[in-house]
Amino acid sequence: MTKTVTTFIFMVSSLIVFGQNIDGAFSQKKMKKDLKIFKEIRLKANSGLYKYRTEQQIDSIYNWAENKILESSTYLDFYNIICQLTDFEGSLHNETTLPEKYFRKLKEENYGYFPYPIKWIEGKWVINYQTEKIPLGSEILEINGVPVSQVIPNLYKYYTTDGQNITGKKVGIRKYFSEYYRLHYGQIEEFNVIYKTRDSEIKKNIILKSVSYSNYYKNFEGRYSKPYDQTYYIDLKENEKYTYKKLDNSTGILTINTFSMGNENTTEHKNYVTFLDSIFTKIKTENLKNLIVDVRINSGGTDPNDVITYSYLTSRDFQESKQAWISFSKIPLLKYFDISVPSFLRPLGVGKFNRHFQNRFPIKKNEKYFIGKKESEMEVRKPNKNTFTGEIYLLTSPEVASAGSLFASMVAGNKNTTVIGEETMGGYYGHNGHTSFGYVLPKSKIITDFSIDNIEQDVPKKSNQLYGRGIIPDHIVSQNYDDFLNQKDTQMKFTLELIDNEK
């Protein structure tokens, strides 16, 4: 092989590898092209674009993005711009995803990651790992000269939530903190950390060497809080998805960890319906006065599990949605759609999908296409004959989202419900959900996903429930520091004490 040919192959190979690195160069021309297409996708396909933001606010952030491109030079710069735009809209079903080749490179990185998981406790970010380097539970004050009060908001863009909700972002940060930090601040050799322990006001300094991507996640798997919170992070078996326990002659606990139990045609769904009927028949027969409904790790699932459950907890006729609409009658910008079919063949097969949307959303008003009255989401449902009429104590957390938050919102709207815990990630009054669309930006190959159904939930207006926020508890209770160290459930303890005090 000649030297010239060898040099050429090496140059081509280097360009391929370099092009797969998120820190590599990416031209402003390509950024501008993809930004224009990204905005067009949102305007034509995303019904949630103006759900929580005015047209002026959306125009303003796109002006920011255009100006930001002028000072950007890398692929990561552009990815962060798209993440910021995605998050600004305010939908927990929005997602910005790196192409597989870039994500694979991240997973192979052998340095650059903060070594330890952290957790939000009593308004502070603390070390959630036992190590000799830095004491468990130490409060992080500063990393590489930047106060943690600035670091954390810079990472919000990577974990979307409904409306202006912030609590839900802490769910993402407690698991993905190190990865998010790397995406925002770059690949760093070491971290200069200022911290203090709980029993001292003296600020201490330590230099922590960075670890690999995989070693950070190994440390996360070994986090101190795992015995307390491991159900948040595992694939639940059927017998872990829901449970019921009678505490005493007046109180029971119904725990619903997910609504991912299939639809009406699945055996798992039918088993769940049988479970509900059995326990609520028993609750009624035993004349229980109090029911704790724990949905703290319920991030959603499939219809109609949420509304069937609610039928056992309400005395009113109800609907899953007051209304729902999308912003098109035919799938727009088909050539960028995230499917494996070649773009020139897509128009040939899209007809049946367009007819599906036209049948499902037949009512056009002001360029919006509203769901038909005969769809299951609009069905007026009756309370179950064994519905619980006593006092409901609903336990919520920032993990609650999608179908989980829709269900929790309806329960929270009951007059006989007391909500305890933390604000949910999912909105009280509505969300964008049901049908997910994905598009691929042509130059960067960044994938953007969002749900197209703009949903107004069937919930009453309440003075403590704010538009653009999650379900706000009547009693805001988070795990406290002592219970973190002892791996105890602060919220359940508070609830049981509340019930005892009200007897």
Side-chain angles (χ1 to χ4, degrees):
M1 185 180 288
T2 67
K3 183 177 179 180
T4 303
V5 173
T6 304
T7 304
F8 174 76
I9 291 174
F10 174 79
M11 289 174 62
V12 171
S13 300
S14 298
L15 286 170
I16 291 171
V17 172
F18 187 66
Q20 294 175 348
N21 188 323
I22 62 170
D23 300 306
F26 191 67
S27 73
Q28 292 181 359
K29 183 178 179 180
K30 290 180 179 179
M31 294 184 196
K32 291 175 183 178
K33 171 73 172 177
D34 273 6
L35 177 63
K36 181 180 178 181
I37 292 168
F38 181 84
K39 185 177 182 180
E40 189 177 5
I41 290 167
R42 313 317 268 198
L43 288 168
K44 292 183 177 180
N46 185 7
S47 66
L49 183 62
Y50 300 119
K51 191 175 184 75
Y52 301 110
R53 303 295 185 182
T54 65
E55 189 172 344
Q56 183 179 8
Q57 287 173 321
I58 293 296
D59 287 343
S60 178
I61 197 168
Y62 275 94
N63 287 337
W64 165 84
E66 290 168 2
N67 291 328
K68 192 71 175 176
I69 284 174
L70 299 179
E71 57 186 68
S72 300
S73 59
T74 69
Y75 188 94
L76 182 57
D77 289 339
F78 184 64
Y79 173 74
N80 282 329
I81 290 170
I82 295 299
C83 285
Q84 193 72 57
L85 294 171
T86 303
D87 178 56
F88 186 74
E89 292 172 7
S91 174
L92 63 86
H93 289 117
N94 282 5
E95 189 170 8
T96 299
T97 308
L98 287 167
E100 178 58 29
K101 63 181 181 180
Y102 290 98
F103 184 57
R104 189 167 57 248
K105 281 292 181 182
L106 280 182
K107 293 171 72 174
E108 293 170 354
E109 289 181 336
N110 58 13
Y111 78 94
Y113 292 80
F114 190 85
Y116 306 122
I118 63 175
K119 190 171 184 179
W120 179 255
I121 299 290
E122 293 186 347
K124 301 170 184 176
W125 286 101
V126 305
I127 292 292
N128 186 18
Y129 193 82
Q130 285 187 307
T131 172
E132 295 179 357
K133 298 285 187 181
I134 183 170
L136 171 70
S138 294
E139 179 189 358
I140 304 299
L141 301 174
E142 189 176 296
I143 301 176
N144 289 345
V146 182
V148 76
S149 59
Q150 294 178 27
V151 170
I152 297 300
N154 284 335
L155 311 186
Y156 284 167
K157 59 180 171 287
Y158 302 116
Y159 200 85
T160 57
T161 56
D162 279 349
Q164 288 87 42
N165 170 265
I166 297 298
T167 59
K169 295 181 181 298
K170 294 167 185 171
V171 171
I173 289 170
R174 72 188 184 201
K175 180 176 182 179
Y176 302 108
F177 172 73
S178 189
E179 183 177 340
Y180 291 170
Y181 191 99
R182 186 266 182 266
L183 289 172
H184 184 82
Y185 290 99
Q187 200 173 6
I188 296 170
E189 289 276 4
E190 58 185 23
F191 301 92
N192 188 340
V193 179
I194 307 295
Y195 71 95
K196 64 179 181 180
T197 58
R198 189 194 186 195
D199 55 359
S200 174
E201 288 300 312
I202 298 174
K203 295 181 181 180
K204 298 181 180 181
N205 172 258
I206 187 171
I207 304 295
L208 298 175
K209 290 185 177 180
S210 68
V211 297
S212 67
Y213 177 99
S214 60
N215 280 341
Y216 166 73
Y217 282 106
K218 286 179 183 177
N219 287 345
F220 179 78
E221 282 301 307
R223 67 195 179 278
Y224 178 78
S225 64
K226 185 174 181 178
Y228 171 77
D229 62 18
Q230 61 180 332
T231 52
Y232 282 77
Y233 303 102
I234 62 174
D235 292 328
L236 298 170
K237 299 176 182 177
E238 186 170 350
N239 64 354
E240 296 171 320
K241 292 182 178 181
Y242 50 89
T243 59
Y244 173 74
K245 178 182 179 181
K246 184 180 177 181
L247 293 180
D248 55 38
N249 290 332
S250 63
T251 304
I253 301 177
L254 173 63
T255 302
I256 311 168
N257 290 328
T258 181
F259 287 122
S260 294
M261 306 155 194
N263 59 27
E264 297 96 330
N265 301 317
T266 66
T267 300
E268 190 175 3
H269 166 82
K270 293 173 183 176
N271 290 342
Y272 180 60
V273 172
T274 300
F275 162 81
L276 288 175
D277 192 61
S278 173
I279 63 133
F280 277 98
T281 298
K282 190 175 182 180
I283 287 170
K284 187 173 184 178
T285 301
E286 294 175 345
N287 196 28
L288 256 64
K289 304 298 182 185
N290 309 299
L291 182 62
I292 299 169
V293 180
D294 186 354
V295 294
R296 284 177 291 175
I297 72 168
N298 194 319
S299 59
T302 48
D303 290 338
N305 298 303
D306 47 1
V307 290
I308 286 177
T309 310
Y310 181 64
S311 72
Y312 288 91
L313 296 168
T314 185
S315 299
R316 70 180 178 98
D317 294 351
F318 66 97
Q319 300 167 273
E320 180 177 339
S321 306
K322 285 185 178 179
Q323 68 173 22
W325 59 273
I326 62 176
S327 54
F328 58 85
S329 61
K330 295 181 180 180
I331 300 175
L333 300 168
L334 198 60
K335 64 181 177 178
Y336 305 121
F337 210 70
D338 186 19
I339 52 175
S340 57
V341 178
S343 58
F344 70 92
L345 291 177
R346 295 177 186 183
L348 302 177
V350 76
K352 68 176 183 178
F353 296 104
N354 286 333
R355 286 191 294 274
H356 165 75
F357 289 117
Q358 289 160 5
N359 291 333
R360 181 169 159 78
F361 297 93
I363 306 164
K364 183 179 180 181
K365 294 180 183 177
N366 300 322
E367 301 307 315
K368 298 176 181 179
Y369 298 86
F370 287 84
I371 197 167
K373 301 297 183 183
K374 295 182 180 180
E375 297 296 325
S376 62
E377 294 90 337
M378 302 300 290
E379 176 186 346
V380 177
R381 300 172 183 267
K382 299 285 185 182
N384 189 277
K385 64 181 180 180
N386 291 318
T387 192
F388 179 73
T389 57
E391 295 299 315
I392 298 172
Y393 297 84
L394 178 68
L395 271 58
T396 63
S397 84
E399 185 80 15
V400 180
S402 195
S405 59
L406 184 148
F407 165 78
S409 295
M410 291 193 291
V411 176
N414 292 348
K415 291 182 179 179
N416 62 333
T417 295
T418 300
V419 185
I420 299 159
E422 299 170 87
E423 182 184 347
T424 63
M425 186 191 319
Y428 174 78
Y429 289 104
H431 67 287
N432 263 62
H434 291 155
T435 309
S436 179
F437 268 24
Y439 287 89
V440 180
L441 302 182
K443 300 301 181 182
S444 63
K445 305 302 179 185
I446 289 172
I447 303 162
T448 176
D449 293 282
F450 52 90
S451 289
I452 63 171
D453 295 23
N454 191 317
I455 300 162
E456 181 185 348
Q457 294 167 184
D458 184 13
V459 295
K461 289 186 177 180
K462 295 183 69 175
S463 58
N464 70 324
Q465 302 298 341
L466 307 176
Y467 185 77
R469 296 281 298 276
I471 302 163
I472 299 173
D474 300 298
H475 300 278
I476 298 175
V477 182
S478 305
Q479 188 181 41
N480 62 42
Y481 192 90
D482 288 336
D483 286 346
F484 162 68
L485 293 179
N486 294 303
Q487 297 176 342
K488 292 185 177 180
D489 190 338
T490 308
Q491 294 159 341
M492 185 62 76
K493 182 169 60 176
F494 177 93
T495 304
L496 295 176
E497 290 174 355
L498 183 64
I499 292 172
D500 283 343
N501 293 334
E502 293 180 352
K503 285 182 179 178

